[in-house]
Amino acid sequence: MNLHQLRFVREAVRQNYNLTDAAKALFTSQPGVSKAIIELEEELGVDIFTRHGKRIRGLTEPGRLVLQSVELIMQEIDSLKRIGKEYAAQDSGSFTIATTHTQARYTLPKVVQAFMLKFPKVRLSLLQGNPRQIAEMVQRDQADLAIATESIAGVDGLITLPCYQWEHMVVVPHEHPLLKSKSVTLEEIAAYPVITYDSAFAGRSKIDHAFTLREIKPDILLEAIDADVIKTYVELGMGIGIIAGMAFDPERDRNLRAIPAGHLFGMNISRVAVKQGAYLRSYIYTFIELLTPSLNRKLVEQAMRGEHENYEL
């Protein structure tokens, strides 16, 4: 048994059981991958994959257990490599953050700036996607951590901790009738065309849930992943916008007014997620603390050990 065999099994699954694609991803030959997998199966005495002719089609029941062990072994190998790199170069390396557009655009700039001042030798990369995509990036070791509001908390294999709370804002042009309301209601909002986020982003599920509970069907005129797009169409007079509170800046958005809507849609919690069992470089702990000062290294390490159930904002 050797590490190459384990890598081949993992990559075959990642490439949807296409051995040609697995071989390309690992810069080797397809016959070599196939032979190594067969030799591993013979050594273990079980079939890892189901087959149709010479093609593999899926995992057998023992194959699923083998894959779980392979993932754990490869994760430990990666951790060993990272330990060596960290102690060889304490303040340099690479760091990849997977996040949504809202977080990247409005929350992270000042944090990233402060981080780069502390660690100028670190190569920082930002990957964007919807919450499901960024969770998968961390699961597949394409990113070191993920930051999002929507439900990354329940994703298998991830440790998530709350960062900060925020509420939605209703944005309208100056002198809009809603500004006269002492406490804007869902019924008042539904009287106008609504421009807001795509269903996968920025707490949209809470917006939909609030209207559904009241049996109100708002006129959703436009959906976007970018609050700047939403605000642009509000400025054009096409409707009212519902955006994340962090996306409104009175200085920058001088043509608009914002109405707090936490009493309608509830408070949202943005979370940071890391892979369970991953080895985190020391500067990643520093980044998390810059993002949320209450999340110090001790708390994050406790979470990594499974002692985070009672931590809330």
Side-chain angles (χ1 to χ4, degrees):
M1 188 183 303
N2 59 61
L3 289 177
H4 288 300
Q5 293 171 319
L6 305 185
R7 288 193 180 96
F8 294 162
V9 168
R10 181 175 68 172
E11 196 60 37
V13 176
R14 289 183 173 183
Q15 298 297 333
N16 199 28
Y17 308 108
N18 187 314
L19 292 185
T20 300
D21 290 345
K24 288 180 180 178
L26 296 172
F27 303 101
T28 188
S29 67
Q30 186 271 333
V33 172
S34 181
K35 181 182 177 182
I37 291 174
I38 290 172
E39 289 176 348
L40 179 60
E41 290 178 318
E42 290 175 350
E43 183 174 350
L44 294 175
V46 297
D47 289 335
I48 298 172
F49 296 102
T50 60
R51 290 173 170 82
H52 181 74
K54 293 184 178 180
R55 294 179 179 271
I56 63 172
R57 296 298 189 188
L59 287 166
T60 63
E61 185 63 31
R64 281 191 282 271
L65 297 176
V66 169
L67 179 63
Q68 290 176 13
S69 293
V70 167
E71 292 284 6
L72 289 173
I73 292 168
M74 298 311 299
Q75 185 169 303
E76 290 301 320
I77 295 296
D78 290 341
S79 292
L80 286 173
K81 291 178 180 178
R82 290 174 184 172
I83 290 170
K85 287 180 180 179
E86 174 161 1
Y87 282 92
Q90 294 280 353
D91 61 349
S92 65
S94 61
F95 179 25
T96 302
I97 300 166
T99 190
T100 60
H101 175 86
T102 298
Q103 303 291 336
R105 172 70 175 83
Y106 303 106
T107 301
L108 293 185
K110 290 183 179 180
V111 178
V112 167
Q113 183 182 41
F115 177 83
M116 295 309 297
L117 288 173
K118 283 180 173 287
F119 302 98
K121 296 179 182 179
V122 174
R123 299 187 306 276
L124 181 64
S125 300
L126 287 176
L127 303 178
Q128 293 186 45
N130 63 39
R132 178 184 58 79
Q133 290 169 335
I134 66 174
E136 288 179 354
M137 291 176 194
V138 176
Q139 287 176 316
R140 296 180 178 183
D141 299 314
Q142 296 168 338
D144 297 293
L145 61 80
I147 305 167
T149 295
E150 293 290 347
S151 54
I152 59 173
V155 177
D156 289 340
L158 297 188
I159 300 294
T160 67
L161 287 167
C163 294
Y164 59 89
Q165 290 184 325
W166 57 270
E167 65 179 328
H168 285 98
M169 296 279 191
V170 177
V171 289
V172 297
H174 287 285
E175 300 182 3
H176 191 278
L178 282 182
L179 295 170
K180 299 176 182 179
S181 177
K182 292 183 178 180
S183 181
V184 69
T185 66
L186 293 174
E187 288 80 5
E188 289 175 318
I189 291 173
Y192 302 92
V194 174
I195 305 165
T196 191
Y197 295 105
D198 178 88
S199 59
F201 292 88
R204 171 63 189 275
S205 60
K206 285 197 171 184
I207 296 172
D208 292 341
H209 183 63
F211 281 112
T212 299
L213 283 179
R214 296 292 296 272
E215 298 183 347
I216 299 171
K217 188 173 182 180
D219 176 16
I220 305 295
L221 178 71
L222 179 68
E223 298 173 307
I225 66 171
D226 185 344
D228 287 339
V229 171
I230 295 171
K231 290 183 288 187
T232 295
Y233 285 96
V234 173
E235 287 179 343
L236 291 174
M238 295 183 63
I240 62 174
I242 303 176
I243 63 172
M246 69 193 82
F248 183 81
D249 184 335
E251 289 297 316
R252 186 179 61 232
D253 303 316
R254 294 181 181 179
N255 295 327
L256 298 173
R257 297 280 301 279
I259 304 169
H263 64 290
L264 298 177
F265 306 121
M267 300 302 294
N268 296 270
I269 298 177
S270 289
R271 292 181 172 269
V272 60
V274 295
K275 188 173 181 178
Q276 190 171 19
Y279 175 76
L280 302 184
R281 302 284 296 270
S282 59
Y283 53 70
I284 296 178
Y285 288 105
T286 300
F287 178 87
I288 294 172
E289 192 165 353
L290 287 170
L291 177 66
T292 310
S294 60
L295 281 182
N296 56 43
R297 180 166 185 160
K298 180 180 178 181
L299 279 173
V300 176
E301 288 179 335
Q302 287 177 345
M304 297 290 282
R305 295 193 298 267
E307 302 170 10
H308 63 292
E309 291 84 355
N310 296 324
Y311 178 73
E312 292 295 340
L313 293 174

